[in-house]
């Protein structure tokens, strides 16, 4: 098994200025390590990292000197960092890069580098995923023996690093109910495992993410969470709804255009890929883009290059997170979505459940949290729900998921008097007339069909064309049941009987 020695170049200590000239420092940490400790460590090679292209000359010079003096194998390696004091970005970068040596022994030289670089080594080692060792050196003038010393940094390693523990505490606070005053989003027990998976995905920078879930389940919030937990936090997070734009408009928004590229292009305009450089681009409703634009997007994701309309190719560094409320595999089988793009997007998949599929206890906590949160947000006295009102809200199907619940709470706050209790009659008509999804007392086939169409239509985010495709019927059939039900489960059996006989 190979055993690699890995370190950053110490530009301020591996070199000295003598007579106005920059020269190698014979007492520098890298040369000293090779002189006293490299051979006893039985290392296969030394991967000498430098963080920007302008350091290449120094790295090559130092490597050549080591090879000439000691005969050790040294490989100068560019591991570019955009900010050498951003510990999250550095950690994400080095963790991703080290994965190629997952089956090897790795000794990380702790001493050279900025404090953020050193802390990144420590966090990587602490996680205990790779076969890493941490060492640092003590100069001869500071040692009792009068000789340079190498010290192994021994720490208790854990598969749950400190950062994960802190995030777990944050998630617990976010799920603690209406008493939590600081969070603007509820993460209950049903979503916590999903957010934990998202945190793990965030740590691997180059992995694309596909988020699945019905409309209104919180896909953009989850995407933003991945961004904020990654090394790209602090850089742009730019969302775009792909289904809301035509092909040509979407292409110009994504890739930009140059002046004169088309009628009305009066100036050079950056696209979202360029604006998100260093950050994350969230492509919502990715399943709605055309096959032609899918091919363009695939090329961008493979090459890291975009070509603005009427311009020359440009390199971008962007993490792509996509989301869909449709079954992309079915669209692929129907020839409406490219399999190769699907595989490129679905490296890591996260799926958010519909609100109606979350445990009742979780929905109760969400209702309490939303009631308190919206009351504070709209500066309204705390909203009080009557027992039957609360029960009806918990039983309602909520095809619009959390987004619809938020809308209902705002509706109640707008129309309720301060201090009054919200009664069943105060609810929107569609909720008052509804029964528990899937719990109709009617035995009529017509009612069962209507209920199933409602369920599929909700799964498709209310888009009738998609629902018709999944049901294997014409769109006008879906429209018929949509108009009859308005997305609600069936009303009373008596009314249905009259309609069925008419």
């Amino acid at each position: 098994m190979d055993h690699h020695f890995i370190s950053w170049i110490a530009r301020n200590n591996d070199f000295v200025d003598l007579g106005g000239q920059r020269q190698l420092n014979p007492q520098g940490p890298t040369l000293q390590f090779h002189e006293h400790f490299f051979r006893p460590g039985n290392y296969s090679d030394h991967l000498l990292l430098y963080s920007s292209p302008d350091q290449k000359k120094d790295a090559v010079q130092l490597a050549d000197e080591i090879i000439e003096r000691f005969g050790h194998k040294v490989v100068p390696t560019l591991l570019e960092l955009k900010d050498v004091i951003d510990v999250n970005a550095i950690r994400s970068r080095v963790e991703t890069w080290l994965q190629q040596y997952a089956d090897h022994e790795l000794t990380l030289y702790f001493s050279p580098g900025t404090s953020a670089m050193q802390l990144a080594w420590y966090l990587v080692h602490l996680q205990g995923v790779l076969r890493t060792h941490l060492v640092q050196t003590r100069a001869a003038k500071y040692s009792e023996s009068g000789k340079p010393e190498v010290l192994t940094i021994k720490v208790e390693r854990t598969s749950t690093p400190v950062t994960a523990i802190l995030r777990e505490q944050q998630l617990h606070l976010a799920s603690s109910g209406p008493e939590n005053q600081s969070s603007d989003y509820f993460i209950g027990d049903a979503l916590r495992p999903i957010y934990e998976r998202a945190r793990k995905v965030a740590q691997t920078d180059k992995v694309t993410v596909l988020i699945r879930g019905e409309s209104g389940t919180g896909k953009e919030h989850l995407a933003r969470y991945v961004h904020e937990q990654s090394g790209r936090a602090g850089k742009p997070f730019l969302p775009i709804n792909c289904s809301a734009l035509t092909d040509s408009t979407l292409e110009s928004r994504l890739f930009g255009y140059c002046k004169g590229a088309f009628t009305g292009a009066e100036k050079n305009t950056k696209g979202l890929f360029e604006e998100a450089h260093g950050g994350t681009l969230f492509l919502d409703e990715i399943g709605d883009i055309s096959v032609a634009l899918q091919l363009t997007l695939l090329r961008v994701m493979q090459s890291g290059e975009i070509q603005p309309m009427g311009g020359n190719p440009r390199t971008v560094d962007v993490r792509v997170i996509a989301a869909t409320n449709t079954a992309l595999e079915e669209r692929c089988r129907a020839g409406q979505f490219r399999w190769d793009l699907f595989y490129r997007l679905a490296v890591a998949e996260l799926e958010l459940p519909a609100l109606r599929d979350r445990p009742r206890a979780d929905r109760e906590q969400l209702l309490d949290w939303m009631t308190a949160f919206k009351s504070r947000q709209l500066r309204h006295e705390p909203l009080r729900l009557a027992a039957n009102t609360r029960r009806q809200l918990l039983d309602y199907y909520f095809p619009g998921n959390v987004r619809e619940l938020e809308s209902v709470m705002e509706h109640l706050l707008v129309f309720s008097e301060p201090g009054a209790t919200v009664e069943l009659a105060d609810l929107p008509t569609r909720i008052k007339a509804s029964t528990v999804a899937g719990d109709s007392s009617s035995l009529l086939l017509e009612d069962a069909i209507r209920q199933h169409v409602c369920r599929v239509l909700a799964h498709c985010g209310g888009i009738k064309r998609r629902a018709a495709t999944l049901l294997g019927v014409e769109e006008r059939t879906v429209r018929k049941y949509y108009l009859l039900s308005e997305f609600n489960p069936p009303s009373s059996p008596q009314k249905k009987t009259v309609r069925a006989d008419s």
Side-chain angles (χ1 to χ4, degrees), residues 116 422 448:
V422 178

Side-chain angles (χ1 to χ4, degrees), residues 285-307:
E285 307 303 348
I286 189 69
D288 288 342
I289 66 175
S290 70
V291 175
L293 196 53
Q294 290 170 31
L295 179 58
T296 304
L297 181 60
L298 177 64
R299 288 171 179 164
V300 170
M301 295 180 65
Q302 288 176 333
S303 66
E305 285 188 347
I306 61 165
Q307 184 160 5

Side-chain angles (χ1 to χ4, degrees), residues 1-5 33 36-46 72 105-107:
M1 179 187 296
D2 288 338
H3 188 171
H4 306 283
F5 179 72
F33 193 94
H36 298 284
F37 310 116
F38 187 86
R39 196 174 297 278
N42 293 319
Y43 302 113
S44 308
D45 53 24
H46 177 188
H72 302 159
E105 292 287 331
L106 308 172
T107 291

Side-chain angles (χ1 to χ4, degrees), residues 56-183:
K56 181 177 180 179
K57 181 179 178 181
D58 286 345
V60 171
Q61 181 183 355
L62 180 56
D64 288 345
E65 179 69 17
I66 293 170
I67 293 170
E68 183 177 343
R69 287 180 58 177
F70 307 111
H72 302 159
K73 182 179 179 181
V74 183
V75 183
T77 304
L78 173 63
L79 186 57
E80 192 166 5
L81 302 177
K82 293 181 172 57
D83 188 346
V84 296
I85 61 172
D86 185 342
V87 65
N88 287 325
I90 298 170
R91 178 190 175 186
S92 176
R93 190 81 172 92
V94 298
E95 271 187 336
T96 303
W97 179 77
L98 286 172
Q99 293 305 314
Q100 62 188 303
Y101 303 108
D103 297 328
H104 300 177
E105 292 287 331
L106 308 172
T107 291
L108 310 176
Y109 192 15
F110 191 78
S111 300
T114 65
S115 57
M117 290 171 164
Q118 294 168 340
L119 181 55
W121 283 144
Y122 177 81
L123 292 173
V124 169
H125 174 69
L126 190 66
Q127 193 164 0
V129 176
L130 300 168
R131 296 187 179 94
T132 53
H133 314 275
L134 287 180
V135 298
Q136 62 183 139
T137 52
R138 178 182 287 142
K141 60 182 178 180
Y142 298 117
S143 69
E144 294 181 1
S145 65
K147 298 178 181 179
E149 295 177 350
V150 62
L151 307 171
T152 299
I153 302 175
K154 295 182 178 181
V155 293
E156 183 177 348
R157 301 175 71 174
T158 171
S159 59
T160 308
V162 174
T163 49
I165 295 170
L166 294 176
R167 290 190 186 103
E168 179 72 11
Q169 293 173 346
Q170 292 170 351
L171 288 176
H172 175 71
L173 285 174
S175 65
S176 58
E179 70 277 6
N180 174 31
Q181 302 290 318
S182 60
S183 174

Side-chain angles (χ1 to χ4, degrees), residues 225-297:
Y225 178 83
V226 172
H227 169 75
E228 291 174 349
Q229 298 301 312
S230 75
R232 297 177 182 270
K235 301 296 170 56
F237 174 87
L238 300 181
I240 184 170
N241 189 321
C242 299
S243 66
L245 303 172
T246 63
D247 253 24
S248 58
T249 304
L250 182 58
E251 184 175 5
S252 65
R253 288 288 292 119
L254 289 176
F255 309 121
Y257 54 85
C258 294
K259 181 178 180 180
F262 51 84
T263 302
E266 299 178 351
K267 62 179 181 179
N268 294 340
T269 302
K270 289 183 178 180
L272 291 178
F273 267 99
E274 233 179 317
E275 290 180 353
H277 183 71
T280 303
L281 183 60
F282 175 54
L283 303 177
D284 198 8
E285 307 303 348
I286 189 69
D288 288 342
I289 66 175
S290 70
V291 175
L293 196 53
Q294 290 170 31
L295 179 58
T296 304
L297 181 60

Side-chain angles (χ1 to χ4, degrees), residues 185 213-219 285 325 352-358 366 370 393 396-408 430-431 437 454-463 482 486-489:
Y185 199 84
E214 292 181 10
S215 179
T217 51
K219 297 189 291 294
E285 307 303 348
N325 63 12
L352 288 165
L355 180 55
R356 62 187 169 275
D357 294 332
R358 290 161 67 168
L366 174 60
M370 187 70 76
L393 286 170
Y396 178 56
Y397 191 66
F398 276 108
N401 293 291
V402 179
R403 187 183 296 129
E404 185 181 3
L405 174 61
E406 182 178 12
S407 173
V408 170
R430 69 182 186 278
I431 300 178
C454 285
R455 188 177 297 110
V456 175
L457 195 54
H459 175 75
C460 295
I463 300 176
Y482 171 78
E486 295 184 342
F487 251 165
N488 285 321

Side-chain angles (χ1 to χ4, degrees), residues 229-467:
Q229 298 301 312
S230 75
R232 297 177 182 270
K235 301 296 170 56
F237 174 87
L238 300 181
I240 184 170
N241 189 321
C242 299
S243 66
L245 303 172
T246 63
D247 253 24
S248 58
T249 304
L250 182 58
E251 184 175 5
S252 65
R253 288 288 292 119
L254 289 176
F255 309 121
Y257 54 85
C258 294
K259 181 178 180 180
F262 51 84
T263 302
E266 299 178 351
K267 62 179 181 179
N268 294 340
T269 302
K270 289 183 178 180
L272 291 178
F273 267 99
E274 233 179 317
E275 290 180 353
H277 183 71
T280 303
L281 183 60
F282 175 54
L283 303 177
D284 198 8
E285 307 303 348
I286 189 69
D288 288 342
I289 66 175
S290 70
V291 175
L293 196 53
Q294 290 170 31
L295 179 58
T296 304
L297 181 60
L298 177 64
R299 288 171 179 164
V300 170
M301 295 180 65
Q302 288 176 333
S303 66
E305 285 188 347
I306 61 165
Q307 184 160 5
M309 299 171 68
N312 297 319
R314 301 172 189 177
T315 301
V316 292
D317 174 22
V318 174
R319 182 178 199 165
V320 172
I321 301 178
T324 181
N325 63 12
T326 62
L328 286 185
E329 297 91 335
E330 294 185 13
R331 292 185 66 80
C332 288
R333 284 190 284 270
Q336 299 168 332
F337 202 85
R338 296 181 62 96
W339 281 109
D340 45 7
L341 178 58
F342 170 74
Y343 294 136
R344 176 67 64 172
L345 292 170
V347 176
E349 294 189 56
L350 302 170
E351 185 162 2
L352 288 165
L355 180 55
R356 62 187 169 275
D357 294 332
R358 290 161 67 168
R360 189 178 183 87
D362 187 81
R363 285 185 281 128
E364 288 178 344
Q365 290 180 358
L366 174 60
L367 179 59
D368 290 339
W369 179 89
M370 187 70 76
T371 303
F373 174 70
K374 281 299 172 182
S375 296
R376 292 194 308 271
Q377 191 180 58
L378 299 182
R379 298 180 180 179
H380 193 284
E381 285 190 26
L383 199 62
R384 292 188 297 177
L385 304 176
N388 58 348
T389 305
R390 178 183 175 84
R391 184 168 54 252
Q392 190 75 357
L393 286 170
L394 290 171
D395 288 344
Y396 178 56
Y397 191 66
F398 276 108
N401 293 291
V402 179
R403 187 183 296 129
E404 185 181 3
L405 174 61
E406 182 178 12
S407 173
V408 170
M409 287 297 107
E410 291 176 351
H411 168 94
L412 296 177
L413 284 163
V414 167
F415 291 106
S416 67
E417 295 296 330
T421 299
V422 178
E423 302 293 345
L424 192 60
D426 299 321
L427 292 174
T429 302
R430 69 182 186 278
I431 300 178
K432 284 188 294 187
S434 70
T435 60
V436 184
D439 185 27
S440 171
S441 58
S442 173
L443 299 179
L444 294 177
L445 178 61
E446 182 81 359
D447 293 340
I449 294 173
R450 180 182 354 178
Q451 198 170 58
H452 182 62
V453 169
C454 285
R455 188 177 297 110
V456 175
L457 195 54
H459 175 75
C460 295
I463 300 176
K464 303 177 193 64
R465 173 176 48 82
R466 294 181 187 165

